[in-house]
Amino acid sequence: MHDIWNPWHGCRKYSEGCQNCYMFYLDKLHGSAKPSSLVYKTSSMNYPLSKHRNGSYKIQSGETVRLCMNSDFFIEEADEWREEVWDIIRQRSDVKFFILTKRAERIEQCLPYDWGEGYENVSLNVTCENQKRADERIPILERIPARHKGIMTAPMISEIHIEKWLAKGFIEEVVCGGENYDGARACHYDWVKSLSEQCEKYNTKFTFIETGTYFVKDGKKYKIPGKRKQSELAYKSGLSHSGAKYDYRLVDSWGIPIAERELYSPQFCKSCDNCGSRPICNGCTNCEKCKY
């Protein structure tokens, strides 16, 4: 999946879903010289403004950029840098930005001065790893003005019921996935199926991206090593569905709406056909590593 923009790196564990955080695991695996709890500005701050030699942007109009996958967008330590990010998001009004946080209570105070009812190209999302956090974070998300809102239930560590919020229509999509790496807790098929059915009832897009390392179905616990296999099994479950269509009003630097035919169209290779993340992915980077 691309593109990911990490203007800062590092985080502090904040709630139950953080227990086996993949960022801590991968930092350790790669021998990071800095502790994972240290939040620092990266050299990727201006990534969305990067251009090819011909002057065109590397990130094309219409692509989706996911922010701070190695941190939390609203973490306190990044307060001094966040305005730089908002400024870049304003400049790239032709790109969709996906913001995810566990720190829902900090969203409102960290929004830019000109936020108003929300930026047309930004989706605000909260992580709801269990019912406790869904009950805590979704009401906050509901109150905050935004053009696009969503829920991430990953890692899913309990059954979650969100019907009363889905019925209100402000949640555009729900993304769901199991847990990986050291100490991974099991995700249950029945939990995912229940959430899928809740979303289907209210015509909300639901994407089951991966089973996680341990997956329970029909009373049996399976160990599924490898994220590719986990993603394939999520796809084969048939639990994902598109839901109601929602649009982003993307404009160029002059504020002129960009025609759909001029927006980036994802290209997928053969190995993408059975990928659970495909419905939310920018497509293949043509790196040829998969040899398909």
Side-chain angles (χ1 to χ4, degrees), residues 18 74 87 101 146 184 208 239 252 261:
C18 304
F74 293 106
D87 184 56
T101 187
F208 181 30
L239 295 176
D252 64 18
R261 66 178 180 277

Side-chain angles (χ1 to χ4, degrees), residues 19-44:
Q19 179 176 307
N20 305 308
C21 177
Y22 65 86
M23 186 271 293
F24 282 75
Y25 173 81
L26 293 175
D27 276 0
K28 182 179 180 180
L29 182 68
H30 298 146
S32 175
K34 297 180 180 180
S36 298
S37 58
L38 175 66
V39 182
Y40 59 91
K41 187 176 180 181
T42 72
S43 59
S44 300

Side-chain angles (χ1 to χ4, degrees), residues 48-65:
L49 303 180
S50 301
K51 295 183 177 181
H52 295 292
R53 290 184 178 180
N54 64 6
S56 63
Y57 282 117
K58 292 182 179 180
I59 298 175
Q60 301 176 52
S61 297
E63 286 200 69
T64 297
V65 173

